[in-house]
Amino acid sequence: MGVKIIAEVGCNHKGEMDIAKEHIRIAAVYAKADVVKFQKRNNRELLTEEQYNAPHPNPRNSYGDTYGAHREFLEFSVDQHGELMEECERNGIEYSTSVWDTTSAREMATLKPKLLKVPSACNLHFEMLDVLANGYDGEIHLSLGMTTHDEEEKIVSFFEERKRANDLIIYSCTSGYPVEFQDICLGEITRLKNSFDGRVKGVAFSGHHLGIAADIAALTLGASWVERHFTLDRTWKGTDHAASLEPDGLRRLCRDLRNVEKALGCKAEEILPVEKVQRDKLKWRERPVSATTATA
């Protein structure tokens, strides 16, 4: 399997279905990503009453008078997620979503997407992880931002005990928006591979940085999936836009990852066909000694 690229729309659709569908079409047709991913929350379950009724910590990015109202404004229903899944099918791209609570995990499992994602914030929510392990048959992707090594082991062991680690993709991730280059820590990909190769299905990379250079390096270190936030306009209101790629950035990411992946192989034969013509024309060879030269 070649590298797979996830365009993480999240809530960058601003609560508007038309904008969400435009993200799908651009990611599929223009950028040629493999997956478009959204987010699903049950905000009453996820937030305490105090959190729900508190003001947004950054009012400039808020879509409601309270944090709960803000989150509800950006939330799509199960039926709307089904509509997004249909739009993905029409455009030849996989649909997925992150799930943040047990209700959302159960709801999204009913749509039967090929993969569901556990965000870093929820990777120790073992009740929700159990819902996915026992009630969902697809791949379970899980980010490891804000997670200790002991917690990583606990998570992987949890899925091993339920015979689901062979469907588990774990992501190297730094939880910041955006992340400075010194905090991307790509060496974590190597560490995760050394720790969990053979125990999980794969190791991946989820980036919240600027540009696409680090993603290429992640591929060379063995990341089998690359996930990046995606927006139509980085200047829009919202917390994730600044750490997202715009359409041409996503297109370049998909192009460069696939081209670099092609370039990473070893030669199938010592002299490639493309080299043979040049070898015949340019390669220096020892000249046979002529009779005249030999008697001179």
Side-chain angles (χ1 to χ4, degrees):
M1 181 187 80
V3 62
K4 297 292 186 181
I5 303 150
I6 299 177
E8 159 73 281
V9 177
C11 298
N12 285 344
H13 49 68
K14 303 197 294 181
E16 298 183 32
M17 182 61 69
D18 287 345
I19 293 177
K21 290 182 177 180
E22 184 67 8
H23 276 86
I24 291 170
R25 289 188 289 268
I26 290 175
V29 178
Y30 178 67
K32 296 180 171 53
D34 298 291
V35 179
V36 175
K37 186 167 74 67
F38 296 91
Q39 294 183 10
K40 187 73 178 80
R41 291 173 169 88
N42 182 307
N43 293 301
R44 286 293 185 183
E45 179 179 334
L46 184 63
L47 301 172
T48 66
E49 193 70 20
E50 183 180 3
Q51 290 171 329
Y52 195 95
N53 293 315
H56 192 289
N58 187 345
R60 188 176 67 86
N61 286 321
S62 183
Y63 286 91
D65 293 336
T66 66
Y67 186 70
H70 161 78
R71 290 257 52 104
E72 299 291 8
F73 185 90
L74 295 172
E75 196 63 40
F76 287 144
S77 68
V78 177
D79 287 344
Q80 286 176 309
H81 276 273
E83 192 176 335
L84 293 173
M85 193 174 196
E86 291 173 358
E87 185 69 22
C88 285
E89 290 171 357
R90 280 192 289 270
N91 286 276
I93 194 168
E94 290 292 335
Y95 159 89
S96 185
T97 185
S98 295
V99 291
W100 288 67
D101 51 81
T102 54
T103 298
S104 296
R106 291 191 182 96
E107 290 174 340
M108 294 298 96
T110 66
L111 297 180
K112 299 182 178 180
K114 288 189 176 179
L115 65 101
L116 287 174
K117 181 81 184 293
V118 177
S120 296
C122 304
N123 65 22
L124 297 177
H125 189 340
F126 288 102
E127 182 183 354
M128 185 185 78
L129 300 187
D130 194 60
V131 168
L132 294 174
N134 292 311
Y136 170 65
D137 293 333
E139 283 187 348
I140 300 166
H141 292 225
L142 183 145
S143 277
L144 292 171
M146 307 178 288
T147 307
T148 70
H149 295 183
D150 286 345
E151 289 167 344
E152 291 171 356
E153 176 61 37
K154 188 175 180 180
I155 291 164
V156 172
S157 295
F158 178 91
F159 285 101
E160 286 178 326
E161 290 163 5
R162 287 153 181 78
K163 311 299 183 187
R164 292 303 308 276
N166 59 331
D167 295 316
L168 181 64
I169 307 289
I170 55 175
Y171 284 69
S172 171
C173 175
T174 298
S175 298
Y177 303 90
V179 171
E180 297 294 334
F181 282 98
Q182 66 269 21
D183 292 327
I184 298 173
C185 301
L186 289 173
E188 291 295 293
I189 296 170
T190 302
R191 182 186 64 80
L192 290 172
K193 288 180 69 67
N194 290 339
S195 298
F196 297 111
D197 258 355
R199 296 179 61 187
V200 300
K201 186 170 185 177
V203 172
F205 174 65
S206 178
H208 306 127
H209 51 282
L210 301 179
I212 60 175
D215 307 273
I216 307 304
L219 169 68
T220 68
L221 291 170
S224 55
W225 292 76
V226 172
E227 175 188 74
R228 289 296 304 273
H229 280 260
F230 169 51
T231 183
L232 301 185
D233 188 337
R234 293 180 69 245
T235 68
W236 279 350
K237 182 171 77 173
T239 55
D240 288 347
H241 297 288
S244 301
L245 295 174
E246 290 184 332
D248 199 53
L250 181 64
R251 179 190 67 82
R252 290 169 183 263
L253 174 71
C254 295
R255 178 200 66 192
D256 290 355
L257 282 171
R258 293 185 178 121
N259 284 342
V260 170
E261 184 175 45
K262 291 177 185 176
L264 286 175
C266 295
K267 288 187 176 182
E269 50 190 295
E270 291 183 17
I271 307 297
L272 292 174
V274 70
E275 294 180 299
K276 288 177 180 176
V277 172
Q278 306 306 323
R279 179 181 173 88
D280 290 343
K281 182 170 65 173
L282 300 174
K283 192 76 169 181
W284 187 90
R285 291 178 179 81
E286 190 77 35
R287 271 67 169 179
V289 179
S290 66
T292 303
T293 303
T295 59

